Amino acid sequence: MKTALIFNIQKFCVHDGPGIRTTVFFKGCPLKCQWCHNPESQNFSKQVLWTRERCTFCQRCEQACPQGAISVTQSSVLHHASRCLACEQCIDDCVNNAREIAGVEYTVSQLLSEIEKDRPFYDQSQGGVTLSGGEVMSQIEFAAELAQACKNRGITVAIDTCGYAPFSSFEKIMDSVDLFLYDIKLIDSSLHQRYTGADNKLILGNLKKLAQHKARINLRLPLIEGFNADDRNIRDIIDFVQDFQLVAVNLLPYHEFGKTKYNKMDENYQGEKLFPPSETRLNEIKTMFEQAEFNVRIGG
Ligand code: SF4
Ligand code: SF4
Protein backbone atom coordinates (compact mmCIF):
# COMPACT_ATOMS: atom_id res chain seq x y z
CA MET A 1 0.00 0.00 0.00
CA LYS A 2 1.25 3.49 -0.88
CA THR A 3 2.44 5.57 2.06
CA ALA A 4 3.87 9.07 2.52
CA LEU A 5 6.19 10.37 5.21
CA ILE A 6 4.34 13.14 7.06
CA PHE A 7 5.88 15.28 9.79
CA ASN A 8 2.83 17.17 10.98
CA ILE A 9 -0.92 17.49 10.56
CA GLN A 10 -2.04 20.90 11.74
CA LYS A 11 -5.70 21.69 12.35
CA PHE A 12 -7.59 25.01 12.20
CA CYS A 13 -5.03 26.74 9.98
CA VAL A 14 -6.08 30.16 8.69
CA HIS A 15 -2.92 31.19 6.81
CA ASP A 16 -2.59 28.31 4.33
CA GLY A 17 -5.37 29.22 1.91
CA PRO A 18 -8.99 30.33 2.28
CA GLY A 19 -11.16 29.53 5.31
CA ILE A 20 -10.30 27.07 8.05
CA ARG A 21 -7.97 24.36 6.81
CA THR A 22 -6.21 21.18 7.80
CA THR A 23 -2.60 21.36 6.66
CA VAL A 24 -0.70 18.14 5.99
CA PHE A 25 3.08 18.57 6.01
CA PHE A 26 5.04 16.15 3.79
CA LYS A 27 8.59 15.38 4.90
CA GLY A 28 11.50 15.99 2.53
CA CYS A 29 12.42 18.99 0.40
CA PRO A 30 14.79 19.39 -2.56
CA LEU A 31 15.75 22.93 -1.43
CA LYS A 32 17.71 23.94 1.66
CA CYS A 33 16.68 27.56 2.25
CA GLN A 34 18.82 29.34 4.83
CA TRP A 35 15.68 30.82 6.45
CA CYS A 36 13.70 27.54 6.61
CA HIS A 37 11.34 27.59 9.61
CA ASN A 38 10.61 23.85 9.31
CA PRO A 39 14.14 22.36 9.29
CA GLU A 40 12.75 18.97 10.34
CA SER A 41 10.92 18.97 7.00
CA GLN A 42 14.04 18.97 4.84
CA ASN A 43 15.32 15.41 5.23
CA PHE A 44 13.40 12.67 3.39
CA SER A 45 13.89 10.19 6.26
CA LYS A 46 12.56 9.92 9.80
CA GLN A 47 14.65 11.82 12.37
CA VAL A 48 14.89 11.76 16.14
CA LEU A 49 14.59 15.19 17.81
CA TRP A 50 15.83 15.96 21.32
CA THR A 51 14.69 18.73 23.68
CA ARG A 52 17.52 19.72 26.02
CA GLU A 53 15.21 21.52 28.48
CA ARG A 54 13.35 18.28 29.23
CA CYS A 55 16.40 16.05 29.51
CA THR A 56 17.78 14.89 32.90
CA PHE A 57 20.76 13.09 31.26
CA CYS A 58 19.59 9.84 32.86
CA GLN A 59 21.18 7.67 30.14
CA ARG A 60 18.09 5.49 29.65
CA CYS A 61 18.08 6.27 25.93
CA GLU A 62 21.73 5.31 25.57
CA GLN A 63 21.07 1.99 27.29
CA ALA A 64 17.97 1.38 25.16
CA CYS A 65 19.54 2.00 21.78
CA PRO A 66 20.40 -1.27 20.02
CA GLN A 67 22.57 0.59 17.50
CA GLY A 68 24.88 2.43 19.90
CA ALA A 69 23.67 5.66 18.29
CA ILE A 70 23.45 7.72 21.51
CA SER A 71 26.15 9.00 23.85
CA VAL A 72 25.00 10.75 27.02
CA THR A 73 27.34 12.95 29.06
CA GLN A 74 26.56 15.12 32.10
CA SER A 75 25.49 17.98 29.89
CA SER A 76 24.66 16.65 26.45
CA VAL A 77 23.09 13.83 24.50
CA LEU A 78 24.88 13.11 21.24
CA HIS A 79 22.88 11.52 18.48
CA HIS A 80 24.90 9.66 15.85
CA ALA A 81 22.43 9.93 12.98
CA SER A 82 24.33 7.63 10.63
CA ARG A 83 23.81 4.71 13.03
CA CYS A 84 20.17 5.47 13.87
CA LEU A 85 17.51 3.19 12.34
CA ALA A 86 14.61 5.28 13.70
CA CYS A 87 13.32 2.27 15.68
CA GLU A 88 11.96 4.67 18.34
CA GLN A 89 13.12 2.47 21.24
CA CYS A 90 14.87 5.45 22.86
CA ILE A 91 11.68 7.50 22.56
CA ASP A 92 9.64 4.81 24.29
CA ASP A 93 12.21 4.60 27.10
CA CYS A 94 12.57 8.34 27.75
CA VAL A 95 10.28 9.06 30.69
CA ASN A 96 10.73 12.83 30.28
CA ASN A 97 9.48 13.01 26.69
CA ALA A 98 12.76 14.60 25.70
CA ARG A 99 12.93 12.56 22.51
CA GLU A 100 10.45 12.54 19.65
CA ILE A 101 10.26 11.31 16.08
CA ALA A 102 9.85 13.61 13.08
CA GLY A 103 8.18 11.66 10.30
CA VAL A 104 5.28 9.20 10.45
CA GLU A 105 4.10 7.02 7.56
CA TYR A 106 0.47 7.43 6.55
CA THR A 107 -1.68 5.71 3.95
CA VAL A 108 -4.15 7.76 1.90
CA SER A 109 -7.10 6.37 3.86
CA GLN A 110 -5.46 7.19 7.22
CA LEU A 111 -4.93 10.78 6.14
CA LEU A 112 -8.43 11.02 4.73
CA SER A 113 -9.93 10.02 8.04
CA GLU A 114 -7.90 12.77 9.78
CA ILE A 115 -8.96 15.31 7.16
CA GLU A 116 -12.63 14.25 7.34
CA LYS A 117 -12.76 14.99 11.09
CA ASP A 118 -12.74 18.73 10.35
CA ARG A 119 -15.27 18.73 7.54
CA PRO A 120 -17.80 20.89 9.50
CA PHE A 121 -15.17 23.65 9.71
CA TYR A 122 -14.45 23.48 5.98
CA ASP A 123 -18.17 23.67 5.22
CA GLN A 124 -18.72 26.70 7.49
CA SER A 125 -15.67 28.65 6.30
CA GLN A 126 -15.17 27.54 2.69
CA GLY A 127 -11.94 25.97 3.84
CA GLY A 128 -10.41 22.62 2.98
CA VAL A 129 -7.13 20.77 3.06
CA THR A 130 -3.68 22.19 2.25
CA LEU A 131 -0.85 19.84 1.30
CA SER A 132 2.41 21.43 2.39
CA GLY A 133 5.92 20.50 3.48
CA GLY A 134 8.76 20.04 3.03
CA GLU A 135 7.82 19.70 -0.59
CA VAL A 136 4.60 17.87 -1.38
CA MET A 137 5.51 17.54 -5.08
CA SER A 138 8.44 15.30 -4.09
CA GLN A 139 5.90 12.61 -3.08
CA ILE A 140 3.69 13.21 -6.08
CA GLU A 141 2.15 9.76 -6.64
CA PHE A 142 0.78 9.73 -3.11
CA ALA A 143 -0.16 13.42 -3.14
CA ALA A 144 -2.07 13.07 -6.44
CA GLU A 145 -4.06 10.13 -5.07
CA LEU A 146 -4.84 12.02 -1.86
CA ALA A 147 -5.86 15.20 -3.72
CA GLN A 148 -8.16 13.23 -6.04
CA ALA A 149 -9.74 11.45 -3.07
CA CYS A 150 -10.39 14.81 -1.35
CA LYS A 151 -11.89 16.23 -4.53
CA ASN A 152 -14.17 13.17 -4.87
CA ARG A 153 -15.44 13.90 -1.34
CA GLY A 154 -16.07 17.57 -2.08
CA ILE A 155 -13.12 18.82 -0.01
CA THR A 156 -11.12 21.56 -1.72
CA VAL A 157 -7.34 21.17 -2.03
CA ALA A 158 -4.56 23.75 -1.92
CA ILE A 159 -0.92 22.86 -2.64
CA ASP A 160 1.83 24.83 -0.93
CA THR A 161 4.91 24.34 -3.12
CA CYS A 162 8.41 25.66 -3.72
CA GLY A 163 7.91 24.71 -7.37
CA TYR A 164 11.05 22.59 -7.61
CA ALA A 165 9.71 19.47 -9.36
CA PRO A 166 9.31 18.28 -12.96
CA PHE A 167 6.26 19.86 -14.60
CA SER A 168 4.99 16.32 -15.27
CA SER A 169 4.40 16.14 -11.48
CA PHE A 170 2.18 19.22 -11.62
CA GLU A 171 0.28 17.65 -14.52
CA LYS A 172 -0.49 14.63 -12.35
CA ILE A 173 -2.21 16.71 -9.66
CA MET A 174 -3.43 19.98 -11.15
CA ASP A 175 -6.95 18.80 -12.06
CA SER A 176 -7.61 18.06 -8.36
CA VAL A 177 -6.16 21.30 -7.05
CA ASP A 178 -8.24 24.41 -6.35
CA LEU A 179 -5.35 26.70 -5.45
CA PHE A 180 -1.56 26.65 -5.67
CA LEU A 181 0.31 28.56 -2.95
CA TYR A 182 3.46 29.08 -4.98
CA ASP A 183 6.66 30.33 -3.33
CA ILE A 184 8.95 32.63 -5.23
CA LYS A 185 12.07 33.98 -3.57
CA LEU A 186 14.53 35.44 -6.02
CA ILE A 187 14.70 36.06 -9.75
CA ASP A 188 18.51 36.13 -9.81
CA SER A 189 19.43 32.49 -10.40
CA SER A 190 22.90 32.59 -8.82
CA LEU A 191 21.57 34.22 -5.64
CA HIS A 192 18.80 31.63 -5.56
CA GLN A 193 21.43 28.90 -5.83
CA ARG A 194 23.44 30.45 -3.00
CA TYR A 195 20.55 30.87 -0.55
CA THR A 196 18.47 27.77 -1.34
CA GLY A 197 20.95 25.26 -2.77
CA ALA A 198 19.34 25.16 -6.25
CA ASP A 199 18.90 27.51 -9.19
CA ASN A 200 15.42 28.74 -10.03
CA LYS A 201 14.95 27.89 -13.73
CA LEU A 202 12.66 24.96 -13.01
CA ILE A 203 10.69 26.97 -10.44
CA LEU A 204 10.10 29.93 -12.74
CA GLY A 205 9.36 27.66 -15.71
CA ASN A 206 6.74 25.71 -13.74
CA LEU A 207 5.10 28.91 -12.51
CA LYS A 208 4.79 30.16 -16.08
CA LYS A 209 3.34 26.85 -17.27
CA LEU A 210 0.83 26.72 -14.42
CA ALA A 211 -0.28 30.26 -15.27
CA GLN A 212 -0.64 29.26 -18.93
CA HIS A 213 -2.81 26.33 -17.82
CA LYS A 214 -5.02 28.87 -15.98
CA ALA A 215 -4.29 27.28 -12.60
CA ARG A 216 -5.45 29.40 -9.65
CA ILE A 217 -2.27 30.69 -7.97
CA ASN A 218 -1.48 32.66 -4.83
CA LEU A 219 2.08 33.89 -5.19
CA ARG A 220 3.91 33.80 -1.85
CA LEU A 221 7.04 35.83 -1.19
CA PRO A 222 9.00 35.05 1.97
CA LEU A 223 10.73 38.40 2.54
CA ILE A 224 14.09 38.83 4.28
CA GLU A 225 15.88 42.13 4.62
CA GLY A 226 19.19 42.11 2.75
CA PHE A 227 18.30 38.93 0.80
CA ASN A 228 15.32 39.57 -1.43
CA ALA A 229 13.40 42.64 -0.26
CA ASP A 230 15.33 45.11 -2.46
CA ASP A 231 13.70 47.09 -5.27
CA ARG A 232 15.48 45.20 -8.01
CA ASN A 233 14.28 41.74 -6.94
CA ILE A 234 10.72 42.97 -6.35
CA ARG A 235 10.62 44.71 -9.75
CA ASP A 236 12.01 41.58 -11.43
CA ILE A 237 9.35 39.43 -9.79
CA ILE A 238 6.60 41.83 -10.84
CA ASP A 239 7.95 41.86 -14.41
CA PHE A 240 7.98 38.06 -14.44
CA VAL A 241 4.38 37.64 -13.23
CA GLN A 242 2.95 40.79 -14.84
CA ASP A 243 0.82 38.91 -17.37
CA PHE A 244 -0.30 36.12 -15.04
CA GLN A 245 -3.84 36.07 -13.64
CA LEU A 246 -2.84 35.59 -9.99
CA VAL A 247 -5.54 35.20 -7.35
CA ALA A 248 -3.38 37.09 -4.85
CA VAL A 249 0.14 37.95 -3.78
CA ASN A 250 1.05 37.17 -0.16
CA LEU A 251 4.01 39.00 1.39
CA LEU A 252 5.43 36.82 4.17
CA PRO A 253 7.92 38.67 6.39
CA TYR A 254 10.66 36.45 7.83
CA HIS A 255 10.07 35.18 11.36
CA GLU A 256 12.08 33.16 13.88
CA PHE A 257 9.45 30.60 14.84
CA GLY A 258 11.63 27.73 13.63
CA LYS A 259 14.67 28.68 15.72
CA THR A 260 14.09 26.19 18.56
CA LYS A 261 13.68 23.35 16.07
CA TYR A 262 17.32 23.68 15.02
CA ASN A 263 18.35 23.08 18.64
CA LYS A 264 16.21 19.93 18.71
CA MET A 265 18.06 18.66 15.64
CA ASP A 266 21.46 19.68 17.05
CA GLU A 267 22.01 21.88 13.97
CA ASN A 268 23.30 25.42 13.83
CA TYR A 269 20.64 28.02 13.19
CA GLN A 270 21.80 30.16 10.28
CA GLY A 271 19.08 32.74 10.79
CA GLU A 272 20.68 34.74 13.63
CA LYS A 273 21.52 37.49 11.18
CA LEU A 274 18.24 37.38 9.24
CA PHE A 275 15.56 40.00 9.75
CA PRO A 276 12.17 40.81 8.28
CA PRO A 277 11.79 44.02 6.30
CA SER A 278 10.51 46.98 8.33
CA GLU A 279 6.79 47.74 8.27
CA THR A 280 7.55 50.74 6.07
CA ARG A 281 9.44 48.59 3.59
CA LEU A 282 6.68 45.95 3.55
CA ASN A 283 4.15 48.63 2.72
CA GLU A 284 6.41 49.94 -0.06
CA ILE A 285 6.59 46.44 -1.55
CA LYS A 286 2.83 46.09 -1.17
CA THR A 287 2.36 49.34 -3.06
CA MET A 288 4.67 48.17 -5.87
CA PHE A 289 2.48 45.10 -6.43
CA GLU A 290 -0.73 47.11 -6.11
CA GLN A 291 0.50 49.56 -8.74
CA ALA A 292 0.94 46.54 -11.02
CA GLU A 293 -2.75 45.78 -10.23
CA PHE A 294 -2.25 42.70 -8.09
CA ASN A 295 -4.37 41.86 -5.08
CA VAL A 296 -1.76 41.96 -2.28
CA ARG A 297 -1.84 40.97 1.35
CA ILE A 298 0.82 41.11 4.05
CA GLY A 299 0.66 37.66 5.67
CA GLY A 300 -0.64 34.26 4.52
S1 SF4 B 1 16.27 9.05 28.24
FE1 SF4 B 1 15.45 11.11 27.86
S2 SF4 B 1 15.88 12.24 29.74
FE2 SF4 B 1 17.23 10.41 29.75
S3 SF4 B 1 19.14 11.09 28.79
FE3 SF4 B 1 17.89 10.24 27.17
S4 SF4 B 1 16.79 12.02 26.33
FE4 SF4 B 1 17.60 12.63 28.32
S1 SF4 C 1 15.60 5.59 17.18
FE1 SF4 C 1 16.44 3.53 17.65
S2 SF4 C 1 18.37 3.44 16.55
FE2 SF4 C 1 17.78 5.60 16.62
S3 SF4 C 1 18.82 6.44 18.42
FE3 SF4 C 1 16.79 5.79 19.09
S4 SF4 C 1 17.00 3.67 19.81
FE4 SF4 C 1 18.85 4.19 18.61
Side-chain angles (χ1 to χ4, degrees):
M1 198 174 294
K2 225 178 266 161
T3 60
L5 196 58
I6 304 298
F7 76 90
N8 195 9
I9 301 171
Q10 203 166 321
K11 308 287 189 113
F12 309 113
C13 299
V14 292
H15 298 294
D16 294 333
I20 297 172
R21 313 191 68 82
T22 297
T23 301
V24 180
F25 293 87
F26 286 62
K27 190 159 164 33
C29 182
L31 302 186
K32 196 163 173 47
C33 302
Q34 290 188 15
W35 51 82
C36 183
H37 60 271
N38 284 326
E40 78 278 34
S41 75
Q42 291 182 340
N43 194 298
F44 285 90
S45 305
K46 293 182 182 185
Q47 286 168 289
V48 178
L49 310 181
W50 171 65
T51 303
R52 170 181 290 275
E53 292 72 24
R54 291 191 193 147
C55 182
T56 56
F57 307 99
C58 69
Q59 296 186 314
R60 286 174 66 105
C61 55
E62 182 179 304
Q63 289 152 10
C65 179
Q67 298 299 314
I70 304 170
S71 310
V72 181
T73 69
Q74 285 183 338
S75 59
S76 72
V77 175
L78 298 178
H79 181 74
H80 309 291
S82 61
R83 286 189 221 152
C84 176
L85 300 179
C87 69
E88 302 185 38
Q89 190 61 53
C90 58
I91 295 169
D92 294 343
D93 278 31
C94 177
V95 293
N96 296 316
N97 291 327
R99 300 179 75 79
E100 61 189 294
I101 197 82
V104 176
E105 279 171 3
Y106 278 87
T107 63
V108 169
S109 64
Q110 285 170 331
L111 275 177
L112 278 174
S113 63
E114 278 303 312
I115 290 165
E116 282 280 9
K117 286 177 189 167
D118 297 322
R119 186 186 277 275
F121 299 105
Y122 315 146
D123 293 344
Q124 282 167 25
S125 66
Q126 297 183 317
V129 64
T130 297
L131 308 185
S132 183
E135 178 48 55
V136 57
M137 303 303 288
S138 296
Q139 300 187 61
I140 185 59
E141 301 301 336
F142 183 96
E145 191 176 324
L146 178 61
Q148 182 65 51
C150 289
K151 184 180 169 142
N152 293 345
R153 286 165 174 74
I155 298 171
T156 64
V157 177
I159 299 280
D160 183 2
T161 179
C162 74
Y164 197 84
F167 191 70
S168 56
S169 296
F170 286 92
E171 288 175 320
K172 286 179 184 168
I173 203 168
M174 57 198 288
D175 287 347
S176 313
V177 175
D178 301 277
L179 182 67
F180 285 93
L181 309 173
Y182 202 104
D183 275 19
I184 190 163
K185 292 137 184 143
L186 284 151
I187 292 291
D188 184 303
S189 186
S190 58
L191 287 179
H192 196 280
Q193 172 89 44
R194 189 192 309 166
Y195 295 139
T196 72
D199 80 32
N200 59 5
K201 289 188 187 70
L202 189 59
I203 295 167
L204 297 179
N206 286 338
L207 177 56
K208 192 172 183 180
K209 286 179 193 164
L210 278 179
Q212 286 166 346
H213 279 76
K214 308 267 183 255
R216 298 182 73 246
I217 303 167
N218 268 21
L219 197 71
R220 285 156 74 97
L221 277 71
L223 287 169
I224 304 121
E225 188 61 47
F227 276 61
N228 65 354
D230 54 287
D231 270 3
R232 180 174 169 190
N233 186 50
I234 302 301
R235 271 202 217 99
D236 286 349
I237 291 174
I238 291 171
D239 285 348
F240 187 79
V241 300
Q242 186 69 71
D243 298 329
F244 302 169
Q245 297 294 314
L246 299 177
V247 176
V249 176
N250 294 114
L251 307 180
L252 308 173
Y254 170 76
H255 60 72
E256 283 192 334
F257 299 158
K259 188 174 176 179
T260 53
K261 297 181 181 177
Y262 286 84
N263 297 336
K264 286 185 177 189
M265 296 169 60
D266 205 18
E267 280 189 16
N268 286 332
Y269 178 59
Q270 295 183 43
E272 296 292 357
K273 294 188 183 118
L274 301 182
F275 301 96
S278 66
E279 207 176 317
T280 305
R281 180 61 188 151
L282 280 171
N283 282 314
E284 285 170 3
I285 295 170
K286 183 168 182 270
T287 301
M288 289 168 78
F289 276 97
E290 283 171 343
Q291 284 171 345
E293 299 188 4
F294 288 107
N295 171 26
V296 196
R297 192 172 149 199
I298 297 174

